Amino acid sequence: MLTKKTHDTFKYMQMNFKRKTNWIALAKGLTFITTAWLSTMPSFGQEQIPYKVPPQSIVDLIDAPQIPNIKISNDGTWMLILESPGFETVEQIAQPVLGLAGIRINPITYTTVGENSGAFRSIKIKNIKTNEEFTFEGLPQNIQLSDITWSPSETSLAFLNKTLKQTELWVADLQSRQAKKILDQVNDTFGKTFQWKNDNELLVQQIAFADQEVPKENPVPKGPIVQENLDGITPARTYQNLLGNAYDEELMAYYLSSKLVEVNKNGQAKDIGVSGILKNSSYAPNGEYLLIEKIVRPYSYLVPIQLFPTEVSILKLTDKTSTRVHTIPLADNLPISFDAVVAGPRNFSWRKDKDATLLWTAAADKGNPNENSEVRDELFEATAPFAINNATKVYAGKYRIRQVLWGTGFGIIEESWRKDRTSQLSLIDAKTNKVLRILANRKSEDTYSDPGNLLVDKKGILRGDNKGNIYTQGLGASPEGDRPFIMRWNVFSTKQDTLYKSKRNYYEEPLYYDLKETIYVFRESSTVSPNVFSIGIKSKQEKQMTHFADPYPSLQNVQKTLLSYPRKDGLKLSATLYLPENFKTGDKPLPVLIWAYPREFKTREAAGQVKGSPNRYPRLAFRSPVFWVTRGYAVLDQADMPIVGEGSNEPNDTFIQQIEDNAKALIDYVVDLGVADRSRIGVGGHSYGAFMTANLLAHTDLFAAGIARSGAYNRTLTPFGFQGESRTYWQAKDVYDKMSPFTYAPNIKKPLLLTHGMDDENSGTFPIQSERLYAAIKGHGGVVRLVLLPKEFHGYRSREGVLHTFWEQDQWLENHVKNRKDK
């Protein structure tokens, strides 16, 4: 019998074969597979190279400490200062990974695996009232904290520690300043890993089959794998890491199954008798019932686990009796639409303002947006025994119900309709369910009119009072850039008061407001790194609460400007320009790197709104192009690439023309400013930005070279929709073909660098997309280089992988943009 560790390694290798990972890398253990155009000879080659390192100015920025993450307790007493670990090592990301039912897990530690682990390597606690700062005693070295959660009274913290061997649950006491592990073998693969029951107990998902061997695959097949569609239209978007056979089903059940245990802060645990693949569990506000959502058969090989059948039940905790409420069916036949949902009840939750009232939504249009219906969604509630057929209708919505929040005597229902970008907030009476008024009806892409997010307390109740006052926090988009705000909104009178707005020449992100006098903000500017400040709303008194060092001193004097410029049709566009600190007006124009990502809009007005802020301090990550300002380039980040389709027109109908118009408008503008050399402009992007880059090189002569990372280039491989496109290939064949740079590979003559993570998990961006585009360009004599990064996902995770990617980009820009020979 295979040992668990041996099985995990073997299964991981199988997965890589199954996902068409380059066999040479698996067979020979190569560090890189780099398929390159060799500039020194008219031939094409494939070579193994070790990881490379870019120039030191880039390495210093990659290795700079991360700006700390700040969390403030709901009562405003404690500030948590959390340090991110930065990029992992290649050894760390080389741990085994299993792809099952659309998710990826580490089969050793029972955690999900993604490009951002959300873990922190250190924690400091600051008493906001006394300014005292301390750390917990008892924490292990090399800790990886995640899922940090306050206890109900906010006197303790619970969090996960993800070691190389397992996932553990820890609790830290704020009074004693002690931390200790209370549970081993926590299952963090799927569902709600843990939650506080009360100040002394937590509900935790523990590994269900820890004492059993991993299922062994029979090398002799039992028979063929069959899929069949006898009735009905069952389209599905392109997903990765899906179930492929009965053995995958066994592995999913083995790794994703949990048992629920209640454990106290002393580590004493009791099994409450609930197990399975748990999608969700939550206590009723009075603590007497537990809502449980469990994945059940039939499974699907076409859609991820989030769309599998879900059995909804209620466990009465006093006598452990369980009542099945409903089973949400398999959602593998939804129409291709962002507004499509399953027919019947869905989205079960507890009403936060009542002791034990179950709330759910049901589609009045059978979940099909193409059905004519005055009512799209209905909201229902029921008390014990929680019978679906004996429920009270709370609300009938014109659009899809996305969220329900409760205040003192009222509720606010958030609806939206993706097709026309409508967003609506409705006010209802909490007792009678009568609709009192429509609080807001707007277009979701209109950022200038966004009232912000409704603020809730630790119980999920709207923060406010019994006079109808609630509070919102928003981005504050405006023609001068983002200016975040805190607003008081009286839902009865509809009066809105902006209590605080980020001051000019700064970007201030609200962290906490005490509803009286004091607001805490993360303040930064284009040249000053972020720190926390307390501000008196009435007194205007300010106090700096933290003194974090500038992580990027080399960028301190970089020139940063938010540009606004017109497209040829008059549409206003924006981009953020970074210039080297020593550049002066009248100097020789610079080589340029433009980095962008297309976005779709249904109105010109929304597309023309200013995005971002000129006052933000750079946040550098592997997706950022700002690194190259240290290499003497003018960098244009977040360059607007709006694709507008008004009325009955869809944005993608004119995708190619619009990205060309966007790019030409920006290039003309920065050339006229005197900062850009028109003959030395490179363009790049990640994912959909890579798709854009390949198209710009295929259809325009605006650029010297391109960088395309982890993109999709052949839209026939995503035939049931992609990005914001909801039409299928057969409904819009001409659009799919014209938008595919693969179709126009013979036209790509300017140098194109393609990079791709070999384990890309993102929907639609299979590594084969880059492999096939490379082969097509190569076959027509184009200048192209393909770099496949082992163990990397859609977002690159390892320090070695990111540094090598930047080395590739730097070499490409130096050779084909800054010092290009074919002007």
Side-chain angles (χ1 to χ4, degrees), residues 752-770:
L752 178 61
L753 172 64
L754 296 164
T755 72
H756 217 120
M758 292 172 74
D759 292 338
D760 190 328
E761 81 289 3
N762 188 55
S763 177
T765 55
F766 299 100
I768 197 173
Q769 291 270 10
S770 290

Side-chain angles (χ1 to χ4, degrees), residues 387-405:
I388 291 287
N389 57 5
N390 192 28
T392 299
K393 184 186 294 186
V394 176
Y395 180 80
K398 186 178 179 180
Y399 311 107
R400 289 282 179 251
I401 296 173
R402 308 298 183 184
Q403 182 178 222
V404 184
L405 296 172

Side-chain angles (χ1 to χ4, degrees), residues 667-822:
I667 291 171
D668 288 346
Y669 188 77
V670 293
V671 168
D672 289 345
L673 285 178
V675 301
D677 180 345
R678 189 183 293 274
S679 68
R680 296 189 297 160
I681 298 177
V683 63
H686 188 90
S687 194
Y688 209 51
F691 171 74
M692 169 208 74
T693 297
N695 266 312
L696 284 170
L697 264 60
H699 295 280
T700 78
D701 195 33
L702 297 171
F703 299 97
I707 298 170
R709 300 192 325 205
S710 300
Y713 310 106
N714 183 348
R715 285 305 170 195
T716 67
L717 299 179
T718 55
F720 286 104
F722 59 90
Q723 204 70 9
E725 179 59 66
S726 59
R727 295 170 295 184
T728 71
Y729 173 75
W730 298 273
Q731 292 171 327
K733 184 177 183 296
D734 187 54
V735 172
Y736 275 66
D737 289 340
K738 285 183 178 179
M739 287 184 70
S740 297
F742 179 83
T743 306
Y744 300 93
N747 298 345
I748 301 177
K749 298 302 183 183
K750 292 297 177 64
L752 178 61
L753 172 64
L754 296 164
T755 72
H756 217 120
M758 292 172 74
D759 292 338
D760 190 328
E761 81 289 3
N762 188 55
S763 177
T765 55
F766 299 100
I768 197 173
Q769 291 270 10
S770 290
E771 293 171 332
R772 290 295 178 262
L773 181 61
Y774 166 78
I777 297 173
K778 168 181 174 290
H780 289 89
V783 179
V784 63
R785 180 176 174 93
L786 171 63
V787 182
L788 298 175
L789 299 155
K791 309 295 184 183
E792 300 292 357
F793 293 168
H794 189 63
Y796 311 157
R797 302 177 295 152
S798 74
R799 179 179 182 271
E800 291 87 345
V802 170
L803 288 176
H804 184 90
T805 299
F806 284 6
W807 176 81
E808 294 280 358
Q809 292 180 193
D810 190 71
Q811 293 288 305
W812 204 252
L813 292 169
E814 291 291 297
N815 292 333
H816 300 295
V817 177
K818 183 187 286 186
N819 303 303
R820 61 177 295 198
K821 303 293 193 299
D822 60 335

Side-chain angles (χ1 to χ4, degrees), residues 197 201 260-264 268-273 320:
K197 179 183 181 182
E201 292 179 294
L260 287 180
V261 298
E262 288 182 339
V263 57
N264 63 27
Q268 298 170 321
K270 61 178 179 180
D271 192 330
I272 66 169
K320 296 297 188 291

Side-chain angles (χ1 to χ4, degrees), residues 69 119 240 298 461 507 541 567 813:
N69 188 287
Q240 301 207 45
I461 299 292
Y507 184 90
Q541 291 183 345
R567 200 165 76 173
L813 292 169

Side-chain angles (χ1 to χ4, degrees), residues 58 60-67 84 86-87 115-116 551-552 555 578 593 595 617-628 635 637-638 686 709 794-799 801-803 805-806 809:
I58 294 178
D60 290 343
L61 293 172
I62 286 289
D63 291 339
Q66 301 290 305
I67 296 169
S84 298
F87 292 107
E115 63 178 87
N116 183 3
Y552 310 127
L555 299 181
Y578 294 85
L593 173 59
W595 204 260
Y617 192 76
R619 258 53 170 202
L620 299 187
F622 87 98
R623 282 186 170 90
S624 174
V626 178
F627 298 91
W628 275 270
V635 175
D637 192 16
Q638 296 178 328
H686 188 90
R709 300 192 325 205
H794 189 63
Y796 311 157
R797 302 177 295 152
S798 74
R799 179 179 182 271
V802 170
L803 288 176
T805 299
F806 284 6
Q809 292 180 193

